Amino acid sequence: MSKGLVAILYNQVNESAAPDERDVLDQVALIARALGELGYTIALQPVQGDREDLRQILNNLQPLLPLFIFNLVEALAGEAKLSYLASDLYEEMRIKYTGCTAHTLQLTTNKILCKKRLEKLGIPTPAWVSLTEQRDFTAKQKYILKPIYEDASVGVTQKSLVIAENIAELRGELRRLEASTGMPYFAERYIEGREINLPMMSERGDVVVLPPSEIHFLGYEACQKEKILDYNSKWQAGSFEYQNSRATVHFDSGDCVLMEKIKAISLQCWHHFVRKGYTRYDYRVDAAGNPWLLEINANPCLSDNGAGFYLSAQTMGYSYTDLIQSLISELI
């Protein structure tokens, strides 16, 4: 006998979509299978359009009495920066849903806004420059150019690292990218060093800190590649970057102090920004061993691709179905 209906909402994707967009279909299939194993009946509901289109979808679903929504909506009206409006609408209609609150998503999707909040909390985050504001620009230092509202390394390539003589030159690079991509960018001081991620989730109301993972960049120096997790390394299976960036959860005993620092910073962020759902904290660690928080991902990918959130959960002994059961535990 079914425990009830669960609706999985996700962005509609066509066959010509980019790999980062098609990835949601893999997540939908994995989550639907896990929920089925847990005894739920599944309704798959693709979403396109704006907030009012989503409202109509929810109105159509309500007679079916779904227990909750598994939310995988990453954009509304084609805009990642509006993804929080889906959760905002669930809250307005008093519908239970997985993941972070609308407030958390709105705050963390805007990387500049999030960095300002981190600065107020005294959390180390690299200096940055936008078209209208800046924090501690330093000439002839390396900066990485990133979209303000995108995740999953969208808009980040090996050419994203630049060195500018002055702030006007750096802003010229931002304007050039904005004109060519249609996305607003900012420049973040590049931290030469290690890349480490730490996931967390709420399980029955308590925060669970999952094991950290580190990206190893193999053979990058020999090929004169920048050691960054760019779009190719995440999504282009045939690329050098994809084949030579590896996630590992194995750390030396000498990393214990660093891991405790990262855990403490992440927990501070969780209690200040999050408290519900699941998140991933992305760090660079400089040559002196200092962690710098780059961003908080409040809607991390749940694919089983050997990296990211599920890799850490798996290391802690969770099967994929165990993970999904934990993510829905605060709703049932």
Side-chain angles (χ1 to χ4, degrees):
M1 181 177 177
S2 172
K3 292 179 178 176
L5 180 71
V6 176
I8 303 177
L9 268 62
Y10 59 99
N11 287 109
Q12 185 161 314
V13 178
N14 60 46
E15 291 184 359
S16 62
D20 60 288
E21 296 175 2
R22 293 200 304 271
D23 178 71
V24 74
L25 300 179
D26 294 334
Q27 295 182 65
V28 169
L30 288 164
I31 292 165
R33 187 175 64 189
L35 288 170
E37 290 174 359
L38 292 170
Y40 296 97
T41 301
I42 313 302
L44 302 183
Q45 181 58 63
V47 173
Q48 62 177 348
D50 60 15
R51 192 174 190 270
E52 292 311 304
D53 295 313
L54 177 58
R55 185 190 298 277
Q56 186 58 52
I57 288 172
L58 296 174
N59 285 335
N60 293 340
L61 279 172
Q62 282 197 322
L64 302 176
L65 301 176
L67 296 173
F68 59 86
I69 286 171
F70 204 107
N71 181 40
L72 295 176
V73 176
E74 297 177 338
L76 280 181
E79 298 275 357
K81 66 181 179 182
L82 300 181
S83 63
Y84 75 93
L85 290 177
S87 298
D88 183 66
L89 190 54
Y90 307 148
E91 291 166 11
E92 178 189 313
M93 298 178 72
R94 299 181 182 277
I95 299 171
K96 293 180 180 179
Y97 64 96
T98 60
C100 292
T101 65
H103 175 72
T104 301
L105 287 165
Q106 184 178 20
L107 176 62
T108 56
T109 300
N110 184 332
K111 294 183 174 63
I112 295 293
L113 181 60
C114 187
K115 287 171 80 69
K116 288 180 178 178
R117 295 292 289 272
L118 294 175
E119 290 163 1
K120 283 188 177 179
L121 289 172
I123 291 174
T125 187
W128 52 274
V129 174
S130 72
L131 287 178
T132 56
E133 300 175 88
Q134 61 102 354
R135 295 286 191 278
D136 301 326
F137 169 77
T138 305
K140 299 182 180 179
Q141 276 213 347
K142 197 176 282 187
Y143 283 77
I144 182 166
L145 310 180
K146 298 178 174 180
I148 293 175
Y149 297 106
E150 298 289 341
D151 289 318
S153 296
V154 170
V156 178
T157 74
Q158 284 289 308
K159 296 180 179 178
S160 295
L161 289 174
V162 299
I163 296 175
E165 295 288 334
N166 53 60
I167 198 166
E169 184 180 329
L170 189 57
R171 284 178 170 153
E173 292 289 338
L174 296 176
R175 289 190 185 91
R176 180 186 60 78
L177 274 173
E178 186 165 334
S180 63
T181 66
M183 298 186 291
Y185 274 73
F186 75 109
E188 183 179 65
R189 185 167 64 82
Y190 178 62
I191 304 297
E192 193 88 45
R194 302 166 68 182
E195 177 138 355
I196 294 175
N197 314 118
L198 185 77
M200 288 187 184
M201 63 180 178
S202 175
E203 186 174 30
R204 297 179 181 84
D206 296 323
V207 58
V208 175
V209 181
L210 295 171
S213 63
E214 179 171 7
I215 305 297
H216 287 183
F217 300 96
L218 309 176
Y220 270 55
E221 287 183 4
C223 293
Q224 298 183 320
K225 295 278 187 179
E226 301 286 358
K227 294 181 179 179
I228 58 172
L229 202 56
D230 63 2
Y231 189 86
N232 279 354
S233 62
K234 281 193 175 180
W235 303 111
Q236 297 295 355
S239 69
F240 171 90
E241 293 85 353
Y242 186 93
Q243 295 173 354
N244 292 282
S245 56
R246 296 281 185 274
T248 178
V249 292
H250 303 294
F251 292 87
D252 295 336
S253 57
D255 284 327
C256 287
V257 173
L258 172 62
M259 292 304 114
E260 285 303 314
K261 284 183 184 176
I262 286 176
K263 179 180 175 181
I265 294 170
S266 303
L267 277 170
Q268 185 181 359
C269 291
W270 174 276
H271 291 301
H272 188 82
F273 294 112
V274 187
R275 295 174 182 259
K276 175 191 179 300
Y278 51 100
T279 52
R280 194 191 68 230
Y281 303 83
D282 297 343
Y283 292 86
R284 296 287 292 200
V285 180
D286 66 24
N290 300 308
W292 297 82
L293 182 55
L294 304 182
E295 58 191 78
I296 301 170
N297 188 332
N299 192 19
C301 177
L302 296 175
S303 291
D304 64 346
N305 57 4
F309 203 96
Y310 179 53
L311 172 64
S312 292
Q314 198 174 25
T315 303
M316 204 163 169
Y318 289 78
S319 68
Y320 197 87
T321 300
D322 293 337
L323 173 61
I324 298 305
Q325 187 168 33
S326 294
L327 297 185
I328 67 174
S329 65
E330 59 190 350
L331 304 175
I332 56 178

